[in-house]
Amino acid sequence: MKATQVLGVMLLVLTGGCGPVDEPVNPSGAPAHTAAQALEEGNGLAFNGLAFNGLAFNGLAFNGLAFNGLSSASFSSWFQQHPAESNQFMKYLVHCSVPAGQTRTYSDGTATHVWNGGLGLAPAWSNGSPATLEEQQVVSACLASLVNKYGRTVLISILGTNALGRSIPTTASERGSFTLREGCFFGNLFNGEGLFAGNDQGMLFPEQSSLRACALSSGNACPPLTHVGSCHARCQPDITGSYFIRCTVNGVTYHPLTTRLRPQDISTCGDGICQRPNESCGTGNRADSCKRDCGVCD
């Protein structure tokens, strides 16, 4: 991730719903105080039909993520249909696409919305050109990587390259803190091909759980993301094995992003702490029925 000091760590507040999220915390001192500041406000993104239909029809893909795109009649019409949700979606879209230090502004007649840049994954699109296929894919991958089923803040490390093939810089501190391989994320929201997630390690054991349910949990835990199994069966790694550079599904090859977690962000039934909402009461020793941590349900 980029900021005054460039880092790949992001504060995850994107959600599969639109309920409030907890305030961000950073007890480990990991470098979440950089570009993550741009995402510390708000309730997360309602990742539903608004996202899929918005990019296809609001004109941004063709007009560019600059003044000409944001001032178009098609964008205004799309934004006004669901102003609150559109504002949140644009917050994350701009953060993924536009470089840190830049903003994008839109006035709807009653309020002015300002969205901060962050990762800068789509340089040409950010400057007002139509989004290239690489930009469409990597921005879609970024949005997919930020989906959080439970609406709680989680620190993650995002690895990969921007649309021009330039690596997202990381630091030694980040690499030392975020050691747990999580997943690969890819797809294309712009043309309706969908979003996909895969696991970059074995799936979680029944007694394990995480607020990050999209990549490491079995089944399609985070619709509209489709889980495609192991990243290693779908994706090509870079020469260092640190992240994936291409992933293929349904005969289409995509520009993915790869994520890492901190080990402490995986919960285990029996550790003495009821980690709601990803752990729940019950009579067993599974995360979804954890008597030892959450007790027996009333």
Side-chain angles (χ1 to χ4, degrees):
M1 173 172 285
K2 297 182 179 180
T4 53
Q5 185 178 11
V6 185
L7 298 168
V9 177
M10 299 194 70
L11 182 63
L12 182 69
V13 292
L14 277 169
T15 72
C18 53
V21 298
D22 290 346
E23 287 298 313
V25 295
N26 185 18
S28 70
H33 57 278
T34 57
Q37 290 178 340
L39 299 182
E40 286 183 357
E41 300 177 357
N43 296 328
L45 172 67
F47 220 149
N48 49 29
L50 171 67
F52 282 100
N53 296 330
L55 282 179
F57 302 111
N58 65 17
L60 283 180
F62 306 103
N63 295 327
L65 194 59
F67 177 77
N68 58 331
L70 298 179
S71 63
S72 69
S74 55
F75 177 82
S76 179
S77 176
W78 169 80
F79 191 94
Q80 293 301 326
Q81 291 178 40
H82 305 279
E85 293 87 350
S86 299
N87 180 48
Q88 290 290 50
F89 179 67
M90 289 301 300
K91 172 182 175 179
Y92 296 105
L93 181 68
V94 171
H95 190 88
C96 288
S97 308
V98 177
Q102 296 186 22
T103 61
R104 295 295 181 269
T105 303
Y106 168 72
S107 296
D108 61 10
T110 59
T112 298
H113 306 275
V114 180
W115 305 302
N116 296 314
L119 283 171
L121 297 175
W125 192 41
S126 297
N127 287 328
S129 298
T132 66
L133 181 61
E134 288 286 327
E135 289 180 320
Q136 293 176 28
Q137 291 182 354
V138 73
V139 169
S140 298
C142 181
L143 292 171
S145 74
L146 297 178
V147 174
N148 182 338
K149 178 180 179 180
Y150 296 106
R152 301 291 183 87
T153 56
V154 182
L155 291 170
I156 63 171
S157 173
I158 294 182
L159 305 175
T161 64
N162 70 5
L164 300 178
R166 296 169 184 164
S167 296
I168 300 171
T170 62
T171 66
S173 174
E174 177 186 338
R175 294 189 295 273
S177 297
F178 295 81
T179 58
L180 185 64
R181 290 177 176 267
E182 188 202 24
C184 52
F185 297 86
F186 54 96
N188 194 332
L189 279 174
F190 291 74
N191 63 10
E193 288 176 353
L195 296 175
F196 307 95
N199 52 294
D200 191 15
Q201 59 158 309
M203 304 296 280
L204 296 177
F205 292 110
E207 65 271 19
Q208 294 179 308
S209 63
S210 172
L211 294 173
R212 293 278 296 173
C214 301
L216 296 179
S217 298
S218 59
N220 290 320
C222 298
L225 273 67
T226 298
H227 200 284
V228 295
S230 172
C231 299
H232 299 273
R234 299 278 187 176
C235 305
Q236 174 189 350
D238 78 308
I239 58 174
T240 70
S242 300
Y243 54 82
F244 299 100
I245 57 176
R246 285 289 182 262
C247 296
T248 302
V249 67
N250 299 329
V252 181
T253 299
Y254 295 96
H255 185 144
L257 292 176
T258 305
T259 54
R260 297 281 192 273
L261 297 175
R262 301 176 302 172
Q264 61 264 40
D265 290 319
I266 300 295
S267 304
T268 302
C269 177
D271 62 9
I273 305 172
C274 184
Q275 300 282 4
R276 297 184 185 275
N278 47 304
E279 286 185 342
S280 58
C281 60
T283 59
N285 57 4
R286 299 168 50 96
D288 58 0
S289 179
C290 184
K291 178 180 179 180
R292 288 181 289 176
D293 293 349
C294 301
V296 178
C297 299
D298 296 332

